[in-house]
Amino acid sequence: MKSSMESPFKGKTGLRRLINAFGYSIEGFKAAFKHEDAFRQEVFLAIVLIPLAFYLGKTSIEKALMIASVILVMIVELLNSAVEAAVDHTSTEHHALAKRAKDIGSAAVFFALSIVLVVWGLVLLG
């Protein structure tokens, strides 16, 4: 039995849950691409960098690390965008905690981008 605190949308199981989850993921990707400039830029960067990783990486491990670091940036950006949307939904007033939440999300994106620089630098420069 579900608790009264759970979402009424919970409860699908098996293949139906997987199909629904895939649909929600596609909708999330489309929403981020449409509404988030930074995410669009990172997608275009990935379109360039991922094929380059296959060309520039010497080993499978190098290629995997290069590709994973690029995908990590997009994952962190999606989470950052979700935090920003939730904060903005709660209130558009300036509030110290809202600023802190957004700044922390931005810092996470910065560190993910730093990982790209470190991984690609180590792979390319040895």
Side-chain angles (χ1 to χ4, degrees):
M1 179 171 177
K2 286 189 225 175
S3 102
S4 62
M5 299 296 290
E6 280 191 53
S7 167
F9 301 107
K10 292 274 185 191
K12 301 287 186 209
T13 59
L15 186 58
R16 171 63 16 207
R17 186 190 69 75
L18 291 174
I19 292 167
N20 288 352
F22 181 76
Y24 300 144
S25 297
I26 296 299
E27 289 303 312
F29 183 88
K30 287 196 280 188
F33 194 84
K34 179 179 180 182
H35 299 287
E36 301 295 333
D37 292 338
F39 184 71
R40 270 194 308 279
Q41 293 167 351
E42 290 155 359
V43 167
F44 293 133
L45 189 65
I47 289 169
V48 171
L49 290 181
I50 290 174
L52 263 178
F54 283 104
Y55 178 73
L56 297 174
K58 294 177 190 83
T59 67
S60 296
I61 296 296
E62 287 181 350
K63 292 172 187 176
L65 287 170
M66 293 168 84
I67 292 166
S69 68
V70 172
I71 292 171
L72 177 64
V73 170
M74 292 190 299
I75 292 168
V76 174
E77 185 64 52
L78 287 168
L79 294 171
N80 180 48
S81 296
V83 167
E84 288 183 352
V87 167
D88 289 345
H89 170 73
T90 303
S91 174
T92 55
E93 283 182 32
H94 289 289
H95 190 282
L97 290 175
K99 180 180 181 343
R100 184 188 313 168
K102 289 182 171 192
D103 289 350
I104 290 169
S106 180
V109 174
F110 172 79
F111 280 110
L113 287 166
S114 298
I115 290 170
V116 170
L117 291 175
V118 169
V119 168
W120 282 69
L122 288 171
V123 168
L124 297 177
L125 303 175

